[in-house]
Amino acid sequence: MIDKRVIEQVISEQFEELKKLEREPLVSRPEEDRIELESTMAQVVIGVRRSGKSTLCYSMLKSKGVNFAYVNFDDERFLDMTAADLNIVLEVLYKIYGDFNYLFLDEVQNVTGWHLFVNRLLRSRMRVFVTGSNAKLLSGELATHLTGRHDEIELYPFSFRDYCMATGVSIDSPTTKSVAFRRAAFDVYLKQGGFPELLHEKNKTSYISKLVDNILKRDIEQRHKLRYPHAFESMAHHLLNVVPHVVVENDLAHNFGIKSSHTVAKYIDYLKEAYLLIGLKKYSQKSIQRVYDEKVYAVDVAMMDARADAFASDNLGWHLETLVYIELLRRNGPKEQDIYYYKNDKGIETDFVVCKGNKALELYQVCYDLSSEKTRTREINSLLTGAKATRCNNLYIITDFQSETITHDGRTIKIVPAHEWLLNE
């Protein structure tokens, strides 16, 4: 049991931090609208560390003007906390906040048995809002113990729209000046990514390095007690250097001295559960074939080459492909639509296939610069090959600056600059 005085000290400090947040301007993000304030089900916001989950929930609760209490379990003084301590936490919250019917639990997956506490609160008609940085612990325990009693909202770092709002750049003004400012903002966003705190950090490399290190050591190595932590870290940094990349477990096991491909597969699952990497499965009409040749992407472009000692090249094409994939996840996840990549036996590949069940709805090819005729022909052929295989006619090529609509082999292809596409759903 943790000393009650320690619990009270921590929650009191967090209460003071929350009061300071009231004076800061906050960016209203679209995901706020997906949180059901009066739902009798737990509202669960999941995503990578520092993506703005806490701020999102706080912003929503403050905008609704309700009395709520808050506790963040991502504190070293709560390291040994278990479900047995949570009733004391509740008592201290009532002491500090007074009466409340809305409870915000931040990074609650750090507490063993947390789901039992949440279940009890839900039975008492408490409105509960939960955030966490581990998809397996949250989703797995929720599915087991809170079946039908939770809603999940995935949150990624700032979208380009969020980034413009946070930096005061107009997202819809048609003036030449505003268009130029959006273009300039996109150039920064393409390299820097969307972690909200990076907007105010001078040493961005140090920030990203510490963030990645925290995810690897605290969220994965400590939690799962990995047998090969050094090999795991080397493999993780390698994958961040080469993403987007198809995972070949046997090669990774050999290259990093890991005992088996099965262990590598588990390590990659841990990286995805912590939202450091995001998987992309290969398109096939046969579900069994979708489990092979998975690609992985970084959750944000900053993870790719902004880390200390990163060996990734500053490849803007890879950055752009990553931004497009994460934006497709933002748009299609709430609609329960899936995203794949297509690749045929000849190695011709379409970057993204958006599906509802087995029906392909949209196809996307991403190319930073289409000005070369050879590149243009290759990218159009790749998109058309995927279109024929999936029987889909909603075709897009996302570029850095080119814009036009073309017809090829009877199919219309919209070529759209990324900074426009990202702002116009």
Side-chain angles (χ1 to χ4, degrees), residues 270-413:
Y270 296 155
L271 291 167
K272 291 190 294 183
E273 288 161 6
Y275 286 95
L276 192 62
L277 296 179
I278 307 293
L280 178 67
K281 297 185 183 299
K282 185 177 179 181
Y283 174 86
S284 174
Q285 289 289 337
K286 298 178 180 179
S287 62
I288 189 63
Q289 294 184 5
R290 296 182 182 182
V291 302
Y292 300 108
D293 297 328
E294 182 180 40
K295 276 188 179 183
V296 288
Y297 286 75
V299 71
D300 188 87
V301 297
M303 299 290 198
M304 298 166 67
D305 50 27
R307 307 173 335 274
D309 300 320
F311 287 95
S313 62
D314 188 16
N315 188 311
L316 297 180
W318 291 350
H319 278 227
L320 184 58
E321 187 177 330
T322 300
L323 289 183
V324 170
Y325 180 38
I326 301 303
E327 182 63 23
L328 287 172
L329 289 172
R330 286 191 193 96
R331 296 180 182 187
N332 293 283
K335 302 175 187 176
E336 298 182 344
Q337 294 172 177
D338 301 310
I339 304 166
Y340 305 94
Y341 75 96
Y342 170 80
K343 189 173 185 179
N344 68 9
D345 295 338
K346 297 179 180 179
I348 299 175
E349 186 171 324
T350 306
D351 290 326
F352 304 112
V353 182
V354 179
C355 294
K356 184 73 171 180
N358 279 333
K359 181 177 176 58
L361 305 177
E362 297 171 332
L363 267 63
Y364 291 86
Q365 198 72 6
V366 181
C367 181
Y368 184 78
D369 185 357
L370 274 179
S371 57
S372 160
E373 191 60 37
K374 181 179 178 181
T375 300
R376 181 184 176 92
T377 299
R378 183 190 67 232
E379 299 298 334
I380 290 173
N381 286 341
S382 294
L383 186 60
L384 290 175
T385 299
K388 293 171 185 176
T390 61
R391 300 178 182 177
C392 179
N393 290 321
N394 292 323
L395 311 179
Y396 300 86
I397 298 179
I398 308 301
T399 70
D400 179 52
F401 59 89
Q402 285 104 332
S403 176
E404 62 178 302
T405 299
I406 63 175
T407 300
H408 209 286
D409 288 353
R411 288 181 166 89
T412 299
I413 300 173

Side-chain angles (χ1 to χ4, degrees), residues 23 35 181 255:
R23 299 190 290 271
I35 302 175
F181 283 179
N255 291 337

Side-chain angles (χ1 to χ4, degrees), residues 76-211:
E76 78 280 359
R77 290 166 291 183
F78 286 170
L79 194 60
D80 298 319
M81 181 173 284
T82 66
D85 298 301
L86 290 175
N87 205 59
I88 299 175
V89 169
L90 187 61
E91 179 185 332
V92 171
L93 286 169
Y94 277 122
K95 178 179 178 182
I96 293 174
Y97 285 87
D99 197 13
F100 57 85
N101 294 312
Y102 303 84
L103 180 56
F104 176 10
L105 306 174
D106 208 354
E107 298 293 347
V108 71
Q109 83 278 349
N110 291 338
V111 181
T112 303
W114 65 271
H115 51 277
L116 301 173
F117 176 65
V118 169
N119 224 349
R120 176 161 63 88
L121 292 174
L122 292 174
R123 289 196 298 269
S124 71
R125 297 298 185 223
M126 180 73 74
R127 303 298 190 251
V128 182
F129 305 86
V130 173
T131 74
S133 304
N134 190 291
K136 182 179 180 182
L137 286 178
L138 282 170
S139 298
E141 292 183 347
L142 286 165
T144 302
H145 302 285
L146 297 177
T147 305
R149 302 196 69 189
H150 72 281
D151 294 321
E152 285 185 26
I153 299 98
E154 281 191 312
L155 185 70
Y156 298 95
F158 275 168
S159 67
F160 183 52
R161 177 181 290 268
D162 297 332
Y163 180 85
C164 288
M165 298 292 286
T167 54
V169 174
S170 169
I171 62 174
D172 52 17
S173 172
T175 66
T176 301
K177 180 179 179 180
S178 295
V179 172
F181 283 179
R182 283 196 292 274
R183 175 71 251 190
F186 177 72
D187 288 345
V188 176
Y189 179 73
L190 180 63
K191 296 178 181 179
Q192 177 178 297
F195 282 103
E197 291 175 348
L198 274 185
L199 295 177
H200 312 292
E201 285 288 334
K202 292 183 179 179
N203 192 335
K204 301 183 189 307
T205 298
S206 175
Y207 178 90
I208 293 298
S209 297
K210 289 176 182 177
L211 175 58

Side-chain angles (χ1 to χ4, degrees), residues 7 10 62 70 107 164 181 192 196 213 234 278 360 408 420:
I7 293 175
V10 173
K62 286 298 293 183
Y70 167 79
E107 298 293 347
C164 288
F181 283 179
Q192 177 178 297
D213 192 59
S234 296
I278 307 293
H408 209 286
E420 291 183 8

Side-chain angles (χ1 to χ4, degrees), residues 260-276:
S260 70
S261 60
H262 176 70
T263 300
V264 168
K266 285 201 305 183
Y267 285 179
I268 292 171
D269 282 342
Y270 296 155
L271 291 167
K272 291 190 294 183
E273 288 161 6
Y275 286 95
L276 192 62

